[in-house]
């Protein structure tokens, strides 16, 4: 009846991309089949602290297995300067659906990074050209690292172009990946002309124009996570084969939320949800496709699927710290 406590380091070690990518793909498929329960993300606003809490519960049945859990995450922008803490922190509770026993409590921040990278990899695998070897990244923050790690699992990436206004972050990124890839700093236009582009910035004014993007570039738009944010000019979205993860979330807080609210992007402009492509209901990339875009907001079922494989790998390795939470005497 013990619960496995997994630290950030444990999650980084055992949330292996080779396991998380197929798990997230299964989550998208389950969502398309309707075999999930995923209530809308709820918010607890904390105006006095300039922050909020968000809860993301979910249950999913993948057929061969099922899983449940909840991620409790915050956004407190003043944390780094005033308290020496991250702006965003998350805790994941992974539970046994049959008994409701919490199987694991794990760091949700690292888990989010891994499953977000995995989501981009799933989309890239279905929507990028098969021989994609160049990857552009706009935004050299922590999310950029798992974008590289995940996408390199599904495409033969050899060259990376990184673009960011912060020279120190660019230097750290190049130092980190220089032993694995031909990696260099470049402009947004140079990054956007690559075979695959991932944007991981918090901007509210679009920074990627249609003129920047290659004729057959696949774009993972990962940065927009709140109303008012937008990384790609609307012309890019209009020109692309546009895929989303969830209609309600993307139209409210995803990459398309601003142009959708203005009526510049409408439902007929959306080609598919990623679950439709994963299950084969709709085709992924075809020979006739040019630019493709995946608008990712992040779904709670991704966290649950990633938590499952992380827990199982850590448990098999006798990692983490087991403790008794429930007295059954």
């Amino acid at each position: 009846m013990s619960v496995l406590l997994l630290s950030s380091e444990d999650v980084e070690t055992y949330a292996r991309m080779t396991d998380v990518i197929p798990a997230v793909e299964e989550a998208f498929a389950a969502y398309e089949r309707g075999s999930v329960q995923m209530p809308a993300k709820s918010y607890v606003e904390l105006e006095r602290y300039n922050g909020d809490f968000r809860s993301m519960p979910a249950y999913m049945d993948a057929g061969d297995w099922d899983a449940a859990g909840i991620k409790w995450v915050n956004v407190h922008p003043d944390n780094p300067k005033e308290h020496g803490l991250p702006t965003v922190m998350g805790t994941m509770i992974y539970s046994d659906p049959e008994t409701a026993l919490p199987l694991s409590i794990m760091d949700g921040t690292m888990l989010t990074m891994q499953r977000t990278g995995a989501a981009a990899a799933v989309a890239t695998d279905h929507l990028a050209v098969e021989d994609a070897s160049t990857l552009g990244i706009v935004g050299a923050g922590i999310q950029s690292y798992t974008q590289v790690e995940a996408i390199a699992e599904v495409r033969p990436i050899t060259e990376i172009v990184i673009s960011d206004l912060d020279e120190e972050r660019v230097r750290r990124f190049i130092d980190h990946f220089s032993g694995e890839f031909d990696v260099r700093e470049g402009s947004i236009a140079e990054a956007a002309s690559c075979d695959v582009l991932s944007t991981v910035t918090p901007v509210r004014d679009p920074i990627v124009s249609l003129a920047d993007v290659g004729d057959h570039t696949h774009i993972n738009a990962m940065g927009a996570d709140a109303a008012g944010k937008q990384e790609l000019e609307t012309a890019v979205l209009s020109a692309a084969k546009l895929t989303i993860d969830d209609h309600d979330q993307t139209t409210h807080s995803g990459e398309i939320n601003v142009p959708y609210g203005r009526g510049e992007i409408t439902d007929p402009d959306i080609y598919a949800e990623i679950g439709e492509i994963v299950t084969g209901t709709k085709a992924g990339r075809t020979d006739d496709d040019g630019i493709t875009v995946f608008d990712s907001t992040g779904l709670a079922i991704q966290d649950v699927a990633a938590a499952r494989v992380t827990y199982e790998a850590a448990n098999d390795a006798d990692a983490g710290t087991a403790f008794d939470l429930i007295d059954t005497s």
Side-chain angles (χ1 to χ4, degrees):
M1 294 298 179
S2 63
V3 181
L4 192 61
L5 182 65
L6 299 176
S7 68
S8 176
E9 291 77 12
D10 293 328
V11 174
E12 184 175 16
T13 299
Y14 294 103
R16 305 180 183 114
M17 278 299 179
T18 51
D19 299 326
V20 177
I21 291 170
V24 167
E25 187 164 35
E26 286 188 88
F28 287 141
Y31 189 41
E32 171 61 19
R33 292 194 302 267
S35 57
V36 309
Q37 294 183 53
M38 190 173 61
K41 184 189 302 184
S42 64
Y43 291 78
V44 178
E45 302 289 348
L46 304 169
E47 292 185 9
R48 65 184 293 186
Y49 300 117
N50 186 31
D52 63 61
F53 286 115
R54 308 168 188 196
S55 64
M56 299 174 64
Y59 165 79
M60 61 170 287
D61 181 357
D64 294 334
W65 55 271
D66 64 348
I70 182 169
K71 187 169 71 174
W72 180 242
V73 63
N74 77 291
V75 178
H76 281 58
D78 298 334
N79 267 359
K81 182 178 180 180
E82 296 187 5
H83 305 289
L85 292 170
T87 297
V88 178
M89 294 177 285
T91 301
M92 184 74 191
I93 302 174
Y94 172 64
S95 300
D96 178 357
E98 182 178 1
T99 65
L101 177 71
L103 298 173
S104 179
I105 299 173
M106 67 183 73
D107 173 59
T109 305
M110 180 58 66
L111 189 76
T112 300
M113 290 171 57
Q114 297 297 102
R115 64 83 153 152
T116 302
V122 172
T124 299
D125 200 25
H126 288 276
L127 293 167
V129 294
E130 285 292 333
D131 59 349
S133 62
T134 59
L135 171 62
I137 303 284
V138 178
I142 57 173
Q143 290 283 358
S144 64
Y145 292 78
T146 52
Q147 290 293 302
V148 173
E149 292 161 8
I151 291 168
E153 289 287 337
V154 300
R155 286 296 183 273
I157 301 299
T158 58
E159 179 183 345
I160 299 173
V161 179
I162 180 68
S163 182
D164 194 296
L165 295 175
D166 188 323
E167 288 295 328
E168 177 60 23
R169 295 205 301 185
V170 168
R171 185 191 63 77
R172 287 198 300 267
F173 181 97
I174 292 174
D175 288 346
H176 183 84
F177 287 112
S178 60
E180 300 176 68
F181 306 96
D182 177 9
V183 55
R184 64 179 177 85
E185 181 179 7
S187 65
I188 290 174
E190 289 174 299
S193 66
C194 291
D195 296 326
V196 181
L197 169 68
S198 285
T199 55
V200 280
T201 75
V203 298
R204 291 180 174 270
D205 295 318
I207 54 176
V208 177
S209 70
L210 182 57
D212 294 334
V213 181
D215 291 341
H216 297 90
T217 297
H218 168 66
I219 304 172
N220 298 301
M222 313 300 289
D225 61 356
K229 290 186 176 182
Q230 185 180 358
E231 299 180 289
L232 313 177
E233 287 187 356
T234 302
V236 176
L237 300 169
S238 297
K241 183 176 185 175
L242 177 60
T243 300
I244 62 176
D245 58 6
D246 173 78
H247 186 275
D248 288 344
Q249 287 192 186
T250 53
T251 56
H252 176 265
S253 57
E255 178 61 33
I256 66 172
N257 84 90
V258 174
Y260 190 90
R262 293 173 178 164
E264 297 165 351
I265 295 291
T266 61
D267 286 347
D269 297 315
I270 300 171
Y271 170 70
E273 290 190 354
I274 188 66
E276 294 178 284
I277 294 176
V278 164
T279 58
T281 304
K282 290 189 176 180
R285 175 169 283 276
T286 68
D287 292 340
D288 294 331
D289 288 333
I291 300 167
T292 56
V293 169
F294 173 51
D295 180 357
S296 172
T297 56
L299 307 179
I301 51 172
Q302 295 170 230
D303 296 304
V304 170
R308 173 181 176 269
V309 296
T310 303
Y311 164 75
E312 292 191 344
N315 194 47
D316 288 345
D318 292 323
T321 302
F323 68 99
D324 292 328
L325 181 67
I326 300 169
D327 184 0
T328 58
S329 60

